[in-house]
Amino acid sequence: MCAELWNDTFGKFHPASAPDYLPVPQLRLLQLQRLQAVVLRAYDYVELFRERMGQIGLLPRDLETLGDLRLLPFTVKNDLRDTYPFGLFASPMQEIVRLHASSGTTGRPIVVAYTREDVEVWTSAMVRTFAAAGLHQGDIVQNAYGYGLFTGGLGAHYGAEALGATVIPISGGNADRQIMLMKDFGSTAICCTPSYFIHLIERAGEMGIDMKDLPLRVGVFGAEPWSESMRQYIQANSGVEAFDIYGLSEITGPGVGAECTEHDGLHIFEDHFYPEIIDPETGEVLADGQEGELVLTTLSKKAMPLIRYRTRDITRLYTEVCPCGRTVRRIARIGRRSDDMFIIRGINVFPSQVENALLQMGGTLPHYQIVLTRDKGLDEMEVQVEVTPEIFSDSVSVMESLNERVINVLEQTLNLRVGVRLVAPHTIQRSEGKAKRVIDERKI
Ligand code: DLL
C-alpha cells in the first residue's frame, strides 16, 4: 500500500499525515515535479500527445512552472473515443492490471487503464475520501456502488478495505436486501448514489424500518449531481451525515475530490489531480473563485496519463482556506455540465446514444424525447419516439414487438433498461431552435 499514508509500524492510517495537509509551497513543488514527469511520459509514449505538442512546437522541457500548464493542449472525451480501445495507453499491457469503461458520446465506451501503482494511488485517494468523512477501522461500509466496469464499486471497495474498515460488497440494486443487511450487519456507512439512497430510505419506511434507529452514521454519495436540499432531505430522513464525493473514470474514478466534515466544497486531492477552471467557450484559464469548466491533469498516472482533460463539469475553485486544515484546494459542488450528458442511476447517458440507436432500428422516426422522472427516489427514464405511419396503422402486435425491440436495443446501448412509449407520427412537439430532447422532471 502507498507508503505515503502508512507510517507507523502497525500499518495504521493517520489522517493528519496524509498529503491533504502538506504546506502549500511543498505541495506546489511536488505538483511541478510530477507534472514535468507526467508530461514527459505522455510525450514519450502516447502518439496523440506528442503530435498535439508538436503542432504547437512545445517540448516537455518547456514546462518550467505550474503556470506553464496552460500552454499545453486540452484532451477531450472524444479523444478517448477516437483512440478506442487502447490508443492512449502509456504502459505496455504487461504492466496494466485493470481496465474500466464508461459511456462515450456514441455507442463506443471509453476505456481507462491502471498499472498496479495507479490502483494504489486511486486506493490512497479513496482512503483519504473516507477519512475526510470521519470513517476508520471498525466501521462497517456497505458498498452499494455498482461493481463491474463502472469505477464506483471497486474504487470504494479498495479504499474502504485499505482504510481497515469492514466492507460489504453488496453492489447496487435489490433494495430489500440492502435494507435487511444494513440492519442485520449493523452497517455504519453506506456508499451509493444519492438518488438510490433516497429510494432506500423510502423502501425502508415501507418495510416498517426507520433508518434513524439503525447504526448507519455516514453516507458517501456521488456519481451524479445532487443539491443541498437533497442533502437536507437525506439527513433529516435517515439520520446519516451525507458527504459528497466526486470523480470520473477518465481521471481515476471516485476519489478525485471529497467533502470534509465542514460540508463546504470538495477537497481535490491535488497532489495527484491538478485542477484548473476554464471558460468553456474560449478555453481561457479563469482566476480562482470564478465559475467555469473543471479541467484536470493526472499528475501520477502511469497507464493512461491525461493532460488538461476537459471534464465538462461546471464548478469553481474556492479561494479561502478550509477550517479543517487541509491545504488541498476545494471546488464547489457540481450542479451541471457544459454538455448534454445526464446521469441516471449512476450511468452516464448522452441523448446522441439514444438517437443513434433509434435511427438504426427502422420503424421509428427521428423525433423523440427523453423524459426523466424520479419515483420513490429511483430515477426513471422513458424514451418517447414517433413511429412511421405504416407501423402506426399496423396491428397492435406489430407495435408491441417494436416496443420490445426498442427496449432491448436501448438496453444494449446504454446498459440500462428504460421505459419506451411509441407514439403516433407528429405528436412530439417540434422545436424552432434547438430540439429539447431531455425533459428532466426529477425533483430532490
Ligand atoms: O461517476 C465516478 C464516481 C463513482 C464518482 C462513485 C463518485 C462516486 P463516471 O461514470 O465516469 O465516474 O462519471 C463521471 O459523473 O464527470 C460528473 O459529471 C458526474 N459526477 C460524479 N460525481 C459527482 C458528484 C463516476 N459528486 C461524471 N456531483 C462526472 C456531481 C458528479 N456530479
Side-chain angles (χ1 to χ4, degrees):
M1 203 34 250
C2 272
E4 67 183 12
L5 293 180
W6 268 258
N7 52 6
D8 78 8
T9 40
F10 304 104
K12 206 168 157 213
F13 171 62
H14 293 289
S17 67
D20 305 24
Y21 301 92
L22 279 179
V24 175
Q26 202 178 323
L27 176 62
R28 297 285 171 259
L29 185 62
L30 179 68
Q31 287 172 322
L32 177 61
Q33 288 164 347
R34 286 184 175 169
L35 175 69
Q36 288 167 332
V38 83
V39 169
L40 185 63
R41 183 176 182 86
Y43 185 88
D44 281 348
Y45 298 117
V46 186
E47 200 183 321
L48 180 120
F49 291 122
R50 195 167 44 251
E51 271 176 22
R52 292 227 173 123
M53 284 175 68
Q55 279 160 11
I56 51 172
L58 199 68
L59 288 169
R61 65 163 182 266
D62 296 332
L63 291 174
E64 289 173 0
T65 66
L66 279 175
D68 292 339
L69 182 57
R70 69 183 69 192
L71 303 174
L72 288 161
F74 293 117
T75 315
V76 296
K77 205 170 203 136
N78 268 353
D79 294 329
L80 277 81
R81 196 201 70 197
D82 295 344
T83 53
Y84 175 88
F86 302 152
L88 292 184
F89 291 8
S91 299
M93 202 49 93
Q94 293 91 311
E95 287 169 20
I96 288 172
V97 300
R98 180 95 65 80
L99 299 174
H100 280 280
S102 99
S103 323
T105 45
T106 66
R108 280 179 181 177
I110 54 142
V111 181
V112 292
Y114 307 76
T115 62
R116 192 167 301 285
E117 205 179 321
D118 292 335
V119 172
E120 285 184 3
V121 167
W122 183 17
T123 301
S124 73
M126 279 309 292
V127 168
R128 290 157 71 180
T129 295
F130 287 130
L135 297 178
H136 40 69
Q137 235 172 0
D139 269 306
I140 302 178
V141 179
Q142 181 160 340
N143 185 14
Y145 283 123
Y147 282 65
L149 288 176
F150 177 56
T151 52
L154 285 174
H157 182 107
Y158 272 54
E161 217 172 72
L163 179 74
T166 309
V167 189
I168 309 173
I170 187 166
S171 195
N174 201 338
D176 289 14
R177 192 178 48 178
Q178 298 274 358
I179 293 155
M180 187 181 90
L181 295 195
M182 186 185 291
K183 182 166 163 279
D184 295 348
F185 292 5
S187 307
T188 57
I190 185 154
C191 307
C192 60
T193 59
S195 58
Y196 188 60
F197 189 64
I198 290 180
H199 174 63
L200 292 183
I201 296 174
E202 276 164 349
R203 185 68 199 121
E206 286 164 7
M207 291 163 72
I209 295 169
D210 186 344
M211 277 197 194
K212 284 185 253 166
D213 298 334
L214 303 181
L216 198 67
R217 190 180 92 241
V218 167
V220 183
F221 303 126
E224 64 185 9
W226 55 304
S227 57
E228 193 49 41
S229 54
M230 221 156 138
R231 190 209 308 270
Q232 297 311 329
Y233 177 91
I234 287 175
Q235 297 193 152
N237 288 280
S238 68
V240 308
E241 186 175 354
F243 290 84
D244 191 4
I245 68 161
Y246 170 74
L248 58 162
S249 323
E250 297 90 313
I251 298 301
T252 197
V256 173
E259 277 185 350
C260 63
T261 49
E262 297 291 324
H263 296 288
D264 185 10
L266 293 86
H267 290 279
I268 295 286
F269 298 119
E270 59 170 321
D271 47 316
H272 296 305
F273 318 111
Y274 191 84
E276 297 170 278
I277 301 288
I278 62 159
D279 178 329
E281 302 296 326
T282 64
E284 181 200 341
V285 178
L286 300 176
D288 285 5
Q290 281 187 278
E291 189 180 85
E293 182 181 332
L294 177 66
V295 170
L296 291 167
T297 297
T298 60
L299 295 179
S300 321
K301 260 286 185 81
K302 292 282 188 283
M304 204 176 121
L306 283 184
I307 311 292
R308 301 195 87 202
Y309 183 70
R310 292 189 60 162
T311 65
R312 300 285 171 187
D313 292 320
I314 303 292
T315 182
R316 66 187 166 83
L317 276 166
Y318 280 42
T319 48
E320 312 82 24
V321 176
C322 187
C324 77
R326 285 179 179 76
T327 51
V328 287
R329 283 173 289 176
R330 285 173 291 167
I331 54 165
R333 74 185 314 145
I334 285 153
R336 63 191 174 91
R337 293 177 51 88
S338 67
D339 62 11
D340 57 0
M341 186 181 97
F342 59 89
I343 302 174
I344 182 136
R345 290 181 230 152
I347 295 181
N348 302 346
V349 179
F350 288 90
S352 55
Q353 287 177 284
V354 173
E355 186 169 305
N356 287 336
L358 291 175
L359 289 177
Q360 282 162 19
M361 294 221 30
T364 56
L365 295 168
H367 300 296
Y368 68 95
Q369 222 158 33
I370 300 167
V371 182
L372 306 179
T373 51
R374 186 164 285 152
D375 183 25
K376 296 196 180 122
L378 207 61
D379 288 347
E380 300 291 345
M381 167 172 157
E382 184 181 76
V383 177
Q384 301 171 354
V385 57
E386 290 183 12
V387 295
T388 59
E390 301 77 53
I391 293 269
F392 195 68
S393 56
D394 229 318
S395 66
V396 173
S397 66
V398 171
M399 283 279 274
E400 277 173 356
S401 84
L402 178 62
N403 200 306
E404 196 51 38
R405 211 149 55 81
V406 178
I407 292 176
N408 290 336
V409 167
L410 288 176
E411 186 173 6
Q412 274 167 29
T413 312
L414 307 174
N415 279 324
L416 195 66
R417 199 150 171 94
V418 301
V420 168
R421 189 143 64 91
L422 302 181
V423 297
H426 296 289
T427 39
I428 289 179
Q429 204 184 359
R430 305 294 190 256
S431 88
E432 290 176 354
K434 277 182 195 275
K436 188 163 171 49
R437 294 298 190 197
V438 183
I439 301 173
D440 195 342
E441 294 174 345
R442 294 175 293 183
K443 300 204 181 63
I444 71 142

